[in-house]
Amino acid sequence: MSDDLAQRLNQYVKDLFVREDDILRFVRHQTEAHGLPLINLQPHEGKLLQLLVMLLGAERAVEVGTLAGYSAIWIARGLPAHGQLTTIEHSSKHAALARAHIERAGLSDKVTVLQGDGRQILRKLQVDAPYDLIFIDADKVSYPHYLEWAAANLRVGGAVLAHNAFWGGGIFRPDTADGLGVVQFNQTLADHPQFASTIIEVGDGLALGVKTS
Ligand SMILES: C[S@@+](CC[C@H](N)C(=O)[O-])C[C@H]1O[C@@H](n2cnc3c(N)ncnc32)[C@H](O)[C@@H]1O
């Protein structure tokens, strides 16, 4: 398939299936207006993530890396009415904006934003394990650590998902700590005896591991 045809097909899927509502558009706009980095999921990645949440029948989800709450809204909307998402954000500025967006989306009863370092907060969340899903989208150097947390704290049949699994192509020349973190994460996931896994070739790569044991 030519690059041109691949691009047209990609656009066809986006136009037909990816509908952002006013809230999601507002969150993206506010992310920029408040000077936050524009590193949230793309809308078609958010839609896929939401469908995976639904397919999994996830009720209890964890996210590491909230930013302004864009992906959290996609995830939370895929959960059932009684579902719960705990999302972890290091920056107090990002966490405050995310809370405001989640409230505006009418999701405050479903989503809890915890401010702090992913590793430290995940340690505290262990007491309420097992979880159905963890979505990793924070500091890349910690991706391997977050994967081990997933292996220990997901239910069998639960899933780990990680954004930026292609690291913008940096996986082929991992010369930074971030790039090395992603490469190590991908390799460990591929070899992991407790996960059946792949990378979905969407956006910057969405790694997926289903816990098998
Ligand atoms: C790529 S953005 C998350 C985007 C978000 N998932 C979305 O799609 O809307 C990464 C976020 O992780 C946060 N972060 C970085 N290091 C972290 C850490 N150690 N623990 C928790 N959050 C961290 C950053 O402040 C940033 O807001």
Side-chain angles (χ1 to χ4, degrees), residues 27 31 36-42 49 63-72 74-75 87-91 94-95 114 116-119 135-140 142-143 146 163-164:
V27 172
T31 305
L36 271 55
L38 301 177
I39 49 175
N40 48 271
L41 292 186
Q42 297 174 56
L49 182 58
E63 174 182 62
V64 195
T66 318
L67 192 64
Y70 185 79
S71 54
W74 280 106
I75 294 169
T87 179
I88 305 168
E89 173 54 55
H90 196 244
S91 150
H94 298 185
L114 297 180
D117 174 63
R119 292 184 188 227
F135 174 55
I136 302 169
D137 194 15
D139 52 323
K140 309 305 164 197
S142 296
Y143 269 36
Y146 299 146
H163 192 221
N164 304 117

Side-chain angles (χ1 to χ4, degrees), residues 52-97:
L52 291 169
V53 170
M54 294 165 80
L55 201 60
L56 201 66
E59 297 183 358
R60 302 180 68 240
V62 174
E63 174 182 62
V64 195
T66 318
L67 192 64
Y70 185 79
S71 54
I73 292 172
W74 280 106
I75 294 169
R77 287 176 172 175
L79 295 170
H82 61 277
Q84 288 293 320
L85 169 66
T86 303
T87 179
I88 305 168
E89 173 54 55
H90 196 244
S91 150
S92 54
K93 179 180 174 184
H94 298 185
L97 191 59

Side-chain angles (χ1 to χ4, degrees), residues 34-204:
H34 283 82
L36 271 55
L38 301 177
I39 49 175
N40 48 271
L41 292 186
Q42 297 174 56
H44 64 292
E45 296 174 304
K47 178 68 186 284
L48 177 63
L49 182 58
Q50 185 177 86
L51 291 175
L52 291 169
V53 170
M54 294 165 80
L55 201 60
L56 201 66
E59 297 183 358
R60 302 180 68 240
V62 174
E63 174 182 62
V64 195
T66 318
L67 192 64
Y70 185 79
S71 54
I73 292 172
W74 280 106
I75 294 169
R77 287 176 172 175
L79 295 170
H82 61 277
Q84 288 293 320
L85 169 66
T86 303
T87 179
I88 305 168
E89 173 54 55
H90 196 244
S91 150
S92 54
K93 179 180 174 184
H94 298 185
L97 191 59
R99 285 193 189 100
H101 289 155
I102 284 156
E103 190 175 345
R104 192 183 181 97
L107 291 166
S108 298
D109 53 345
K110 258 187 177 179
V111 182
T112 306
V113 181
L114 297 180
Q115 196 243 310
D117 174 63
R119 292 184 188 227
Q120 287 178 17
I121 295 206
L122 284 177
R123 202 172 304 130
K124 293 182 188 161
L125 294 183
Q126 277 172 197
V127 290
D128 294 320
Y131 295 88
D132 300 310
L133 176 142
I134 177 168
F135 174 55
I136 302 169
D137 194 15
D139 52 323
K140 309 305 164 197
V141 288
S142 296
Y143 269 36
H145 177 88
Y146 299 146
L147 177 59
E148 285 318 312
W149 187 92
N153 293 287
L154 288 176
R155 68 166 163 85
V156 170
V160 56
L161 287 146
H163 192 221
N164 304 117
F166 293 152
W167 197 227
I171 46 169
F172 296 127
R173 42 175 166 72
D175 50 7
T176 63
D178 286 337
L180 288 166
V182 175
V183 167
Q184 191 190 331
F185 172 91
N186 289 344
Q187 188 67 57
T188 309
L189 180 63
D191 297 338
H192 207 297
Q194 287 176 272
F195 288 101
S197 58
T198 191
I199 295 175
I200 302 170
E201 294 174 42
V202 63
D204 193 27

